[in-house]
Amino acid sequence: MPNSSFILGGVEVLRGTNVTINIELPKLYNTPTQLPIRVLRGKKDGPVVFISAAIHGNELNGIEIIRRFRKLPILKNLKGTIILVPIVNIYGVMNLSRYLPDRRDLNRHFPGSEKGSLASRIADIFFKEIVQKCDLGIDLHTASIHKSNLPQIRTNVDNKYTLRLAKAFEAPVILHSEIRDGSLRAVAQEKGVPILLYEAGEALRFDEQSIRIGVKGIVNVLIANGMLPNVLSNKSKKFPVIVRDSAWLRATDSGIIRTVKALGDTVRKGEIIAYINEPLDDNIYEIVAPYDGIIIGKSEMPLIQEGDAVFHIANFKKLAIANNKILYFCEDALEDCEFINYDNEEAIEWL
Ligand SMILES: [Zn+2]
């Protein structure tokens, strides 16, 4: 994308500068509301990438991922432009809610319209001002309320370009996912802007491992996209587990759940994953794995009702390989890595 002059929200961002821009959103009664974004423009032109978080207002990990990412000294060598949008659903974050005040899910209303519902109007502003100016987007999510996700990239694995970047991200799992109507990913891809969706951790919580894998992942993708210098050339590449299909396993009974398996564990068909019973009942119900696979999402609620989604299991047969890979990724994420010193954050000086 030619970007000799780069204008966003009516503000021109010069090469080698970083600027905070507030974009006007529909106000709530008399209270002005703005979408705060930060544009980092390198000294040299290159691709334009947006990184967004909290499209669902209770999914907070991505906000912290962007905060840490913004301080990385490696960004001094940026080629191209990065648009950081740490809180897309500003109304949802204020209320700790996934939704907007009109009870709509913003991620089902893209590309939006100027004259539509509140959700549709916000989607329209975000899409026109940001998404359409970009060559690539990385959208950060967590599991929905009371659930947690193993760090994973969701993308179309049949698209070579996004598969290459998904592998570069180095989350433990890449999940091929069908796109949903009205989601940012579906509509952006239709308009030629590929999206990597990072899903990790739990709603309303920070998860350190998910945050670190996320920060590293974004840097890895920008390196693979030619926007940052390859400071990691000597490190050994890690290859995520790629899975094509997955399903939520639902509780067959109601009661107190005791789980035997955790996030990232592998399960064999027929293996017991959890037990359900009731305080005054001696019956014990078992939840059993329906096929070989990896637990990539789970409920965090100790009490469940029949029909509740309890475990999200990715279908994968090579369990020994999956075990080794996931352990390797997750342990490595909590050690210091080559380019990030988490205890000594520094603000970057530009120019
Ligand atoms: Zn989400």
Side-chain angles (χ1 to χ4, degrees):
M1 190 176 281
N3 49 358
S4 49
S5 89
F6 189 83
I7 298 169
L8 204 150
V11 177
E12 181 171 7
V13 183
L14 300 174
R15 287 190 188 85
T17 61
N18 74 106
V19 181
T20 297
I21 299 170
N22 292 304
I23 295 176
E24 293 299 322
L25 293 177
K27 60 184 179 186
L28 289 183
Y29 300 107
N30 216 15
T31 311
T33 311
Q34 295 173 323
L35 177 68
I37 61 178
R38 176 73 70 100
V39 182
L40 316 177
R41 189 166 179 207
K43 289 175 189 157
K44 291 184 183 162
D45 284 347
V48 183
V49 175
F50 77 85
I51 303 165
S52 56
I55 275 189
H56 294 134
N58 61 357
E59 300 183 5
L60 310 179
N61 270 337
I63 301 173
E64 175 65 2
I65 290 173
I66 290 176
R67 189 190 73 82
R68 291 189 197 182
F69 170 79
R70 189 174 63 77
K71 292 170 178 278
L72 298 178
I74 194 175
L75 290 172
K76 287 175 196 161
N77 301 311
L78 174 66
K79 192 177 155 195
T81 302
I82 300 172
I83 304 172
L84 301 173
V85 195
I87 301 176
V88 180
N89 180 356
I90 203 106
Y91 313 88
V93 168
M94 286 192 281
N95 294 310
L96 302 178
S97 161
R98 176 183 178 92
Y99 303 103
L100 288 163
D102 64 1
R103 295 174 294 150
R104 287 185 169 89
D105 182 333
L106 179 57
N107 209 21
R108 304 286 179 272
H109 287 82
F110 285 97
S113 87
E114 269 175 36
K115 294 185 176 164
S117 64
L118 178 65
S120 195
R121 288 169 195 231
I122 294 166
D124 176 65
I125 291 168
F126 184 67
F127 207 79
K128 282 190 189 143
E129 281 289 356
I130 293 156
V131 181
Q132 288 194 325
K133 295 189 168 83
C134 293
D135 303 295
L136 172 72
I138 304 175
D139 190 24
L140 307 172
H141 288 253
T142 74
S144 55
I145 189 81
H146 305 313
K147 292 194 173 64
S148 57
N149 278 338
L150 184 74
Q152 57 197 265
I153 290 288
R154 295 188 184 172
T155 195
N156 177 3
V157 301
D158 296 322
N159 176 321
K160 278 187 186 164
Y161 175 69
T162 50
L163 179 61
R164 184 174 73 84
L165 295 181
K167 285 182 181 168
F169 196 103
E170 297 189 351
V173 170
I174 297 173
L175 176 63
H176 177 69
S177 69
E178 297 302 323
I179 45 185
R180 284 176 197 265
D181 281 351
S183 73
L184 172 63
R185 188 158 69 91
V187 178
Q189 283 180 187
E190 244 173 57
K191 307 257 181 195
V193 184
I195 304 285
L196 293 180
L197 194 144
Y198 178 59
E199 276 277 359
E202 187 180 350
L204 298 179
R205 301 282 181 273
F206 277 177
D207 175 64
E208 187 61 26
Q209 193 177 65
S210 301
I211 291 166
R212 290 190 182 199
I213 290 175
V215 175
K216 273 169 94 171
I218 293 170
V219 172
N220 288 340
V221 167
L222 296 177
I223 290 171
N225 211 26
M227 297 172 70
L228 292 176
N230 191 359
V231 290
L232 311 173
S233 54
N234 295 329
K235 78 164 195 169
S236 56
K237 285 289 296 169
K238 294 187 206 138
F239 295 97
V241 179
I242 302 174
V243 288
R244 275 198 170 267
D245 90 284
S246 68
W248 276 95
L249 185 58
R250 294 186 178 275
T252 49
D253 290 278
S254 305
I256 298 161
I257 184 164
R258 290 174 290 128
T259 53
V260 181
K261 294 282 184 176
L263 218 51
D265 281 353
T266 52
V267 291
R268 201 166 282 289
K269 184 178 177 182
E271 194 175 358
I272 295 170
I273 315 178
Y275 298 98
I276 301 171
N277 55 5
E278 292 174 30
L280 300 179
D281 182 357
D282 292 331
N283 290 327
I284 297 177
Y285 305 97
E286 295 168 349
I287 295 184
V288 170
Y291 45 78
D292 292 356
I294 309 158
I295 298 179
I296 58 169
K298 71 184 278 285
S299 165
E300 296 294 343
M301 290 292 284
L303 300 178
I304 53 159
Q305 309 297 350
E306 182 177 333
D308 281 350
V310 188
F311 291 100
H312 189 193
I313 305 177
N315 201 331
F316 194 77
K317 295 265 176 280
K318 296 170 185 158
L319 298 185
I321 294 175
N323 263 331
N324 286 337
K325 284 191 178 199
I326 288 164
L327 197 68
Y328 176 44
F329 273 103
C330 294
E331 281 180 351
D332 188 64
L334 290 176
E335 290 167 9
D336 274 341
C337 65
E338 304 88 334
F339 54 90
I340 299 169
N341 187 342
Y342 294 102
D343 303 321
N344 184 23
E345 292 182 351
E346 57 171 298
I348 315 168
E349 280 189 36
W350 288 68
L351 290 174

